[in-house]
Every structure is written in structure tokens, then in C-alpha cells.
Amino acid sequence: KTGMFTFDPGFLATAACESKITFIDGDLGQLYYRGYPIEQLAEHSDYLESCYLLLNGELPTAQQKSDFDYMVLRHTMLHDQIHNFFRGFRRDAHPMAVMVGVVGALSAFYHDSLDINDPHHREVSAFRLIAKVPTIAAQAYRYSKGLPFSYPKAGLSYAENFLHMMFSTPVAEYKVNPVLAKALDRIFILHADHEQNASTSTVRLAGSSGANPFACIAAGIACLWGPSHGGANEAVLKMLDEIGSVENVPAFMEGVKNKTHKLMGFGHRVYKNMDPRAKIMKQTCDEVLNELGLHNDPKFKLAMELEKIALEDPYFIERKLYPNVDFYSGIVLSAIGIPVAMFTPIFALARTVGWIAHWTEMIADPGMKIGRPRQLYTGAQRRDYVQVDARR
Ligand code: SDX
């Protein structure tokens, strides 16, 4: 027993790793960051405060929060030469390809002065990544549109600054709608960490070799890109476009049951109940669409109908398939005006703090060893070499 959470000893014996950062109960649909329920953080916290919590294990005092926010703001700029990396990509490159490349390239600017065994160096790396990944994401979007690179602005929140960097131009300042910025900030909180998911495990494995944190986070971004993982939010919107209207849902569902395609935004490796983040995201979706007068948004109505049908269908009930975090997030991002190609980059920028928290927890452990997954060999038994003219 460890405090409020109990583990089956057998589970601990097989667990890939132990961590104090995030707890998930897949059967109960519960998610806690450092013991705090995600529902309470989504309602009362903001993203940078949740970042502090994930990194330091406790909620910050007012002074600690103000210092943390300042340190992140201080690191939001990019070295001017980094802009050259963007120019090497085609304009139509997927922004996730750009993020993998440019975040990895940060190693070239900070790697040689970095001692990962020095807690202060680890802290600065965390600030640099939490601060620079949104700037890189926004520049990837602007580059794809032929817009000039933009810069963060003091006095804006993390989410407001991201929207500013995405959409402001020298001749037209983006006017931040506080309701939309709050919704985006909540999306960042919901995506900040999620225990040992595929991309976090990728970051841990890469980091276990002693690789620098910028290269490790680039590896995490690469893994997150997959449609089974962070790419699902983009896939949900494409799926809703493909279905088109409620009349087409029955035929689409037949295809799901015949396994010709999946119901994107549904199912989860761990949650066999509703993903708690999906409930919050659905409520956020409602708030944003009402704020924008889009409550009759056909995509949202179609998504709600799809969810209703799936939750009543034995095929999904038997398989414990429920909406996950990605099912509604794309509709919210679309309503805010974020292009679909930027959905997964937003997941990546939000998850950067989780990746860094796990990397730090692992590197700070003096007993850390290089990851080395074992295998069950099912290939050919030992045999002798056969000369080419004797082969059949
Ligand atoms: C994220 O790990 C994390 O924490 C990830 C994440 C995070 O925050 O980091 O939560 C973020 O990645 C959320 C998941 C986003 N992906 C999607 O929405 C893509 C659609 N979902 C599926 O690809 C799938 O559900 C997975 C990949 C998420 C989980 O796959 P599993 O583990 O194989 O699912 P399962 O074992 O529960 O499947 C049981 C059955 C199987 O059918 P049978 O062989 O029993 O007949 O359900 C089927 C699966 O084929 N199934 C689906 C389905 N997901 C599983 N059938 C249709 N549509 C789906 N979405």
C-alpha cells in the first residue's frame, strides 16, 4: 500500500518503472498529477502552475509561481540562427516533422555546455524546453504560411502567447479572447502528462543512455506523431469530415466492426472506462462553442451522436471502448481557429513538461541504469552456413 493508492505486489514486480509523478486508474477512469485529481487542476490551476507541480512535486507558493512564470517567459525566444533550420524544410512539411528536426537541433546550441548530472543544468533545460517548444511550434505554422517569424510578448499568459505567436502579424495584432485562451490552457493541462505512455517511455529509454534532454524530447515528439497516439486528434477531425453527417454513421460503424477502420478518439491502452480528460474536454468544447455561437457546430453534433451510438453499442461496450482525450480536443482546437495540422504539435508542446518531469526523475536517480527491454526469441534455431550454390 502506498498512501491512497494500492498496488498489487505482483504488478510492482512487473512494472517497467516506478514513478511519483502521475497516477492513473484505468478501471475507475482516474488521473492524478502528484496526487491532485485532474478535474481539480483543470478547474482551478493553470498550465504553468501544473508544470511547476509536475516538475517539483508540490503546488507553488505565489512567489514560486511568479518566479517560475518569469523563468519560462525569459527562455521563450529562439537563438536567431535556429530560424535557418525552418528554411531547410518545404513549406508544406508537416509541422511535426519540423518540430522533430528543430527541437532536436536545440542540442547543437545547448548540448556542449550541459552536464545532465547537475541539477541546475537539468532545471535550465526544463525551462528552455517548456518555453521554446511552443515558440518552435508557432514558427512551424508561420513558416508553412509564408508569414514572418514571430516573437513572444511579455504580459501574456502561456496560452495567450502561443496564440499571439501563431496569429499576430506586424500589421494586425491577434486579439486574444480570454475564454478561448483559458480553454487552450486547459487543453495544455489535460495533455501535460500521462504516466508511461508510448512517447514518455521513448523519452525515458533515450534518456537512460545519457543522451541530452533536447534529443530525448525530439524522440518523444517523433513517437507522439503516430495516429495511435498523439496523432489521433488530427485523425478524429479527418474521420468526422469523412463521415460527413449523422446519416452516414451506421455505415461507418459497420466498417469499424468489420475492422476496416477504427473509431478514432476511442479506446485506450489503460482506460477501460471514460478517460477523465474526455469528460473535461467535452465540457470545454461546449463552453467554447457557446462562446463562439457555434453550439450548432455540425462536427460537434456529429461527434456527440457518434459518442452516444458507440456508448450504447455492444461492440464497443464489450471491448470497453470509451472516448479518450483526443475525441473532443480537435473540435475545440478547430473552433479556436487552430488548423488541423497543428493539433499534434499542440499535444507535443503540452506534453513536453511531462516528458521532462519523467526524464528528470530518472536522471536524478543515482541507481539509474540504461534501459534494455528483453525479448522472447521465436526465430530460427542454431544452424550452419550454406554456400550459395547449395541453397534451394
Ligand atoms: C493517446 O497511453 C497513453 O496514455 C496515451 C495517451 C496519452 O495521454 O499519452 O492517453 C494519448 O494516445 C490516446 C489514444 C489516442 N488514439 C486513438 O484514439 C486512436 C484510436 N484508438 C486505438 O488505436 C486504440 O484504442 C489504442 C491504440 C488507443 C489502444 O489499442 P489497444 O490497446 O489495442 O486496444 P484494446 O486492447 O483495448 O482493443 C480491444 C479491442 C480490439 O478488438 P478485438 O481484437 O478484441 O476484436 O477493441 C478494438 C481492438 O481492435 N479497438 C478498437 C479501437 N480501439 C481498440 N476498435 C475500433 N476503434 C477503436 N478506436
Side-chain angles (χ1 to χ4, degrees), residues 76-334:
T76 44
M77 299 273 285
L78 298 177
H79 187 294
D80 206 43
Q81 272 183 253
I82 287 179
H83 288 139
N84 297 332
F85 289 107
F86 291 91
R87 293 188 184 99
F89 290 94
R90 286 173 32 162
R91 291 280 181 182
D92 62 352
H94 194 289
M96 283 299 278
V98 178
M99 287 185 74
V100 169
V102 179
V103 172
L106 291 178
S107 313
F109 287 78
Y110 304 116
H111 160 66
D112 56 358
S113 59
L114 173 63
D115 171 7
I116 61 173
N117 298 307
D118 179 333
H120 177 62
H121 285 203
R122 292 199 294 265
E123 187 185 34
V124 171
S125 299
F127 281 128
R128 280 177 166 153
L129 282 156
I130 293 166
K132 295 183 192 308
V133 171
T135 307
I136 291 169
Q139 305 324 309
Y141 166 71
R142 297 180 73 90
Y143 176 73
S144 75
K145 294 293 177 193
L147 289 169
F149 290 118
S150 59
Y151 296 91
K153 237 170 84 172
L156 295 180
S157 73
Y158 191 86
E160 289 169 344
N161 237 329
F162 178 70
L163 291 169
H164 157 70
M165 288 190 284
M166 280 279 290
F167 299 122
S168 286
T169 69
V171 292
E173 181 75 7
Y174 174 80
K175 274 205 69 43
V176 180
N177 175 327
V179 172
L180 303 188
K182 179 70 190 147
L184 186 59
D185 190 85
R186 193 179 299 151
I187 287 178
F188 292 164
I189 293 174
L190 295 178
H191 287 81
D193 192 50
H194 210 241
E195 202 222 62
Q196 304 306 325
N197 58 85
S199 53
T200 300
S201 303
T202 300
V203 171
R204 276 183 172 262
L205 202 50
S208 72
S209 73
N212 75 77
F214 306 98
C216 296
I217 299 304
I221 295 172
C223 176
L224 186 76
W225 192 0
S228 289
H229 191 11
N233 50 22
E234 182 177 341
V236 168
L237 259 288
K238 285 183 180 150
M239 174 184 76
L240 293 174
D241 283 341
E242 185 196 310
I243 296 171
S245 69
V246 175
E247 294 72 46
N248 300 331
V249 169
F252 182 83
M253 286 305 208
E254 277 316 300
V256 171
K257 294 172 188 175
N258 301 330
K259 298 197 184 281
T260 51
H261 46 253
K262 290 209 185 260
L263 182 56
M264 300 311 277
F266 262 69
H268 199 275
R269 289 307 325 253
V270 176
Y271 289 124
K272 301 308 168 190
N273 196 326
M274 187 85 155
D275 180 338
R277 301 168 298 177
K279 286 179 195 163
I280 301 165
M281 194 62 76
K282 183 175 179 180
Q283 182 195 332
T284 304
C285 205
D286 217 16
E287 286 165 16
V288 166
L289 294 175
N290 282 330
E291 168 71 13
L292 297 172
L294 297 174
H295 34 271
N296 289 319
D297 177 284
K299 278 203 185 68
F300 183 52
K301 286 188 148 330
L302 177 56
M304 286 200 296
E305 183 61 21
L306 213 45
E307 179 192 42
K308 182 173 168 298
I309 292 170
L311 293 180
E312 291 163 2
D313 187 317
Y315 181 89
F316 293 89
I317 295 168
E318 281 156 24
R319 292 168 174 79
K320 297 185 178 181
L321 300 179
Y322 294 89
N324 58 50
V325 67
D326 293 302
F327 190 63
Y328 285 102
S329 58
I331 300 169
V332 181
L333 293 173
S334 259

